[in-house]
């Protein structure tokens, strides 16, 4: 989690710093539906590298947005889900989805 000194003065910049990458937004989109395992996310997020997925999940976890749960099974099972803080981003992602649908419809009408 960012320290008080690391937080940008602008609240929009804070949000962008936390979730502003393409991959983090798509990870959050998936986690809004249900918990996911690493390999499920990797397969679903076409084009993401293992390193970028790992780094993104670690960053989201460190910032308190994602929860990593390890189940003591053989083989080991790890699931990623939204924390309470992460779930509070639901309206942000929904607004982005709604805007994207409207934009897609507008573009299709022009064709």
């Amino acid at each position: 989690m960012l320290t008080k000194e690391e937080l940008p003065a602008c609240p929009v910049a804070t949000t962008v710093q936390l979730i502003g990458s393409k991959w983090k937004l798509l990870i959050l989109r998936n986690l809004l539906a249900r918990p996911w395992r690493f390999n499920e996310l990797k397969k679903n997020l076409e084009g993401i590298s293992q390193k970028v997925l790992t780094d993104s999940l670690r960053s989201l976890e460190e910032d308190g947005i994602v929860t990593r749960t390890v189940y003591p099974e053989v083989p080991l099972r790890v699931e990623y889900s939204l924390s309470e803080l992460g779930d509070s981003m639901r309206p942000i992602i929904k607004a982005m989805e709604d805007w994207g649908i409207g934009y897609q419809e507008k573009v299709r009408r022009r064709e």
Side-chain angles (χ1 to χ4, degrees):
M1 204 169 263
L2 297 174
T3 65
K4 195 170 39 174
E5 293 76 29
E6 294 172 320
L7 288 174
C10 172
V12 173
T14 298
T15 305
V16 170
Q17 185 173 336
L18 291 171
I19 65 166
S21 79
K22 164 189 172 180
W23 294 117
K24 284 183 180 181
L25 285 168
L26 294 176
I27 291 166
L28 292 174
R29 175 206 61 192
N30 284 17
L31 295 179
L32 284 170
R34 64 175 174 85
W36 288 69
R37 295 176 74 171
F38 183 90
N39 284 333
E40 289 179 308
L41 286 168
K42 176 99 174 63
K43 287 177 189 170
N44 185 266
L45 300 172
E46 192 172 315
I48 193 169
S49 70
Q50 184 165 331
K51 179 183 182 346
V52 169
L53 179 55
T54 298
D55 291 348
S56 297
L57 286 168
R58 282 186 184 151
S59 175
L60 290 166
E61 185 182 5
E62 286 171 11
D63 292 329
I65 296 167
V66 166
T67 302
R68 180 178 183 266
T69 306
V70 179
Y71 295 92
E73 301 173 357
V74 177
L76 199 62
R77 181 168 58 108
V78 177
E79 283 186 346
Y80 296 90
S81 59
L82 291 178
S83 65
E84 189 176 328
L85 178 63
D87 195 60
S88 72
M89 293 182 169
R90 188 174 296 274
I92 297 168
I93 306 298
K94 177 67 173 139
M96 292 176 75
E97 176 186 30
D98 292 345
W99 188 90
I101 289 168
Y103 182 82
Q104 288 174 339
E105 290 171 354
K106 185 176 184 174
V107 168
R108 288 184 185 119
R109 283 194 300 267
R110 283 191 275 161
E111 292 177 350

